[in-house]
Amino acid sequence: MNDTPTRIQVAGTAGTAPYEVLVGHQLLGELPALIGRGSHPSSTTAPSGGAARRSGVQRVAVLHPEALSATGEAVRADLAEQGYEAIAIQLPNAEEAKSAEVAAYCWSVLGQTHFTRSDVIVGIGGGATTDLAGFVAATWLRGVRWIAVPTTVLAMVDAAVGGKTGINTAEGKNLVGAFHPPAGVLCDLACLATLPVNDYVSGLAEIIKAGFIADPVILDLIEADPQAARTPEGPHTAELIERSIRVKAEVVSQDLKESGLREILNYGHTLAHAIEKNERYSWRHGAAVSVGMVFAAELGRLAGRLDDATADRHRAVLSSVGLPLTYKGDQWPRLLDTMKVDKKSRGDRLRFIVLDGLAKPTVLEGPDPALLVAAYGEVAK
C-alpha cells in the first residue's frame, strides 16, 4: 500500500483561500499542520465565568456524531497531548444533526469555552456532520477556520469538498446555509472499512453522478466490476474517490457560490431533496439521488436533449450496484410543491440539470408541467 497520500488542490475563489484534499491512509497525523498554531495574548486570566486559556495555546473543537464518539474522543485526546486545548462536541447521528437547535447548542459550547477567531473546528463524520460543522464554523464570529475529516464515501466525494455548509428546516433541505470552504480535507480511506454496505453504496450515487456529468471513466470502472465497486476492498476504490473529488474540485475552483457552473453538481438533486424531505430524511441521500438522476435522464430524453443509450445507461449502472430506480407514484403533487422552493428555482420557474449527452450537463428551465409528469411516470412505482 502506498503511504503517500494523493493531494488534490482546490483553488481559492471569491476571496477564499485555496486548500488541499488529501486521500490516503493514516491521515490524522496531518491535522496539526492544518490547524497551525494561533497567537493569543500571554494571559492565563479567564474571562468572567470561563476557564483560563494557557498562554499561546490554540483551542480546537472536535465535532462528531454519537456513532463516532470513540473516534472523536481519541482525536480530542491526541490533540490535547500535542498541546492544544481540545474539546469534543457530540452531535446527533445523520440528518438529525442538521438543525438550528443543534447549531445553537454548538454555539453555546463555543461561547462557554471562549472560542476565538484564532481557534479551529474539526468535523469528523459523514455528510451531515461536515455540513453542520462547516455551518457552525461559518457563523461563529462570522467565520472561523475548519477542517473536514469525512468518514463516509458520500462525505468524501461531496459534502466535505466545496465549502457548501448548511442545516435543514421544516420547509426543506439545506435552505439555510453559507459558503465557507474548509482549510483542508482529510479523506482517510481506512474509515470506509467499517462502513455498513448500504451506506457505502449510497455514496456511490455521487460518484456515478460525477461520471455522468464530467468523467465517464468512472462509469467504465464501475461497469467493469459492479460488485467490486460496492466494497472498499475493490481494486478501484481509491481511483473512484479521487476522480470524483477532482470533478468537484475543478467545478468549485471556478464557481464557489453556484453562480453558474456549480449548478451541474446538482444533477439529480432537485427531485432527490424533495424525496428526502417527503421521507423525513429517513432515506439515504444517495438512494434519493439515484432516483433523481433517473428522473433527470428521463426528463432530458423526453425533452429531446439526451440520447436513449445514455438515458438507459443510468438505470443500468445504478441498478448494477444496488441503488434504487423508483419512488412512490402517488407522491408527485407533494414532491412538486417541495421542488418549487428548491434553491435552483427562480421565482415560479423550476430549473433542472439535464444532459445534452454524456458529460454535457446543461440547465432545463421552466419545463412544461406535462413533461415533468411524464418523466416522473418513468420512475413511479
Side-chain angles (χ1 to χ4, degrees):
M1 182 184 299
N2 184 4
D3 292 332
T4 303
T6 298
R7 295 176 179 267
I8 301 171
Q9 300 290 329
V10 183
T13 184
T16 64
Y19 60 94
E20 285 187 330
V21 182
L22 275 65
V23 183
H25 293 81
Q26 310 300 325
L27 298 182
L28 287 178
E30 302 279 347
L31 259 182
L34 287 173
I35 294 170
R37 294 284 179 180
S39 59
H40 297 283
S42 297
S43 171
T44 57
T45 302
S48 177
R53 181 200 297 271
R54 287 176 287 140
S55 175
V57 174
Q58 195 166 18
R59 281 194 172 125
V60 181
V62 179
L63 276 59
H64 64 85
E66 180 182 1
L68 293 178
S69 56
T71 301
E73 174 55 28
V75 172
R76 185 211 63 77
D78 184 63
L79 291 173
E81 287 181 3
Q82 298 187 58
Y84 297 98
E85 288 194 8
I87 60 171
I89 302 178
Q90 182 168 293
L91 310 173
N93 293 325
E95 291 290 321
E96 289 184 9
K98 292 178 57 174
S99 71
E101 292 77 16
V102 174
Y105 167 71
C106 294
W107 296 326
S108 178
V109 174
L110 297 180
Q112 291 171 20
T113 54
H114 307 286
F115 216 75
T116 74
R117 282 182 173 164
S118 299
D119 299 327
V120 178
I121 288 173
V122 175
I124 302 176
T129 297
T130 53
D131 279 356
L132 186 280
F135 180 69
V136 170
T139 50
W140 184 251
L141 299 178
R142 299 188 178 91
V144 298
R145 295 173 67 244
W146 75 289
I147 297 160
V149 185
T151 59
T152 67
V153 177
L154 179 64
M156 289 181 185
V157 303
D158 185 36
V161 181
K164 265 191 180 180
T165 73
I167 57 176
N168 303 330
T169 66
E171 290 69 33
K173 183 171 180 176
N174 296 333
L175 295 179
V176 176
F179 292 98
H180 190 58
V185 181
L186 302 179
C187 298
D188 195 326
L189 299 179
C191 295
L192 304 179
T194 58
L195 202 62
V197 63
N198 286 339
D199 290 334
Y200 189 88
V201 170
S202 173
L204 292 179
E206 291 287 354
I207 291 177
I208 291 169
K209 179 200 74 177
F212 276 113
I213 66 171
D215 185 359
V217 172
I218 289 173
L219 306 179
D220 296 336
L221 292 171
I222 292 174
E223 288 168 332
D225 194 344
Q227 288 306 305
R230 286 170 48 88
T231 170
E233 287 78 34
H236 303 303
T237 296
E239 183 177 1
L240 288 170
I241 289 174
E242 289 170 11
R243 282 183 174 274
S244 301
I245 292 172
R246 290 186 191 281
V247 167
K248 187 159 191 183
E250 182 174 350
V251 171
V252 301
S253 292
Q254 299 177 60
D255 177 18
L256 172 65
K257 297 190 174 180
E258 207 168 66
S259 58
L261 177 64
R262 185 166 182 165
E263 279 192 309
I264 70 173
L265 298 174
N266 287 310
Y267 186 58
H269 282 57
T270 303
L271 181 64
H273 286 165
I275 290 173
E276 288 179 281
K277 179 178 181 292
N278 200 48
E279 293 293 330
R280 298 183 180 181
Y281 304 108
S282 62
W283 264 47
R284 289 176 175 84
H285 177 68
V289 168
S290 178
V291 176
M293 283 193 287
V294 176
F295 171 78
E298 295 299 338
L299 186 58
R301 174 170 20 204
L302 291 169
R305 309 285 285 267
L306 185 62
D307 60 280
D308 289 343
T310 305
D312 292 340
R313 193 177 186 186
H314 284 69
R315 293 179 181 274
V317 176
L318 293 165
S319 63
S320 74
V321 296
L323 284 163
L325 309 179
T326 60
Y327 189 63
K328 305 167 187 175
D330 62 354
Q331 295 299 297
W332 174 246
R334 296 182 65 176
L335 298 174
L336 182 60
D337 285 343
T338 299
M339 288 191 291
K340 288 177 180 177
V341 295
D342 184 84
K343 298 185 298 298
K344 294 179 293 304
S345 297
R346 301 291 186 269
D348 60 354
R349 294 177 65 82
L350 287 170
R351 291 159 56 88
F352 295 89
I353 303 302
V354 297
L355 299 178
D356 277 341
L358 186 58
K360 295 179 180 178
T362 187
V363 175
L364 178 62
E365 185 167 353
D368 188 301
L371 196 65
L372 294 175
V373 171
Y376 189 72
E378 295 298 322
V379 301
K381 62 179 179 180

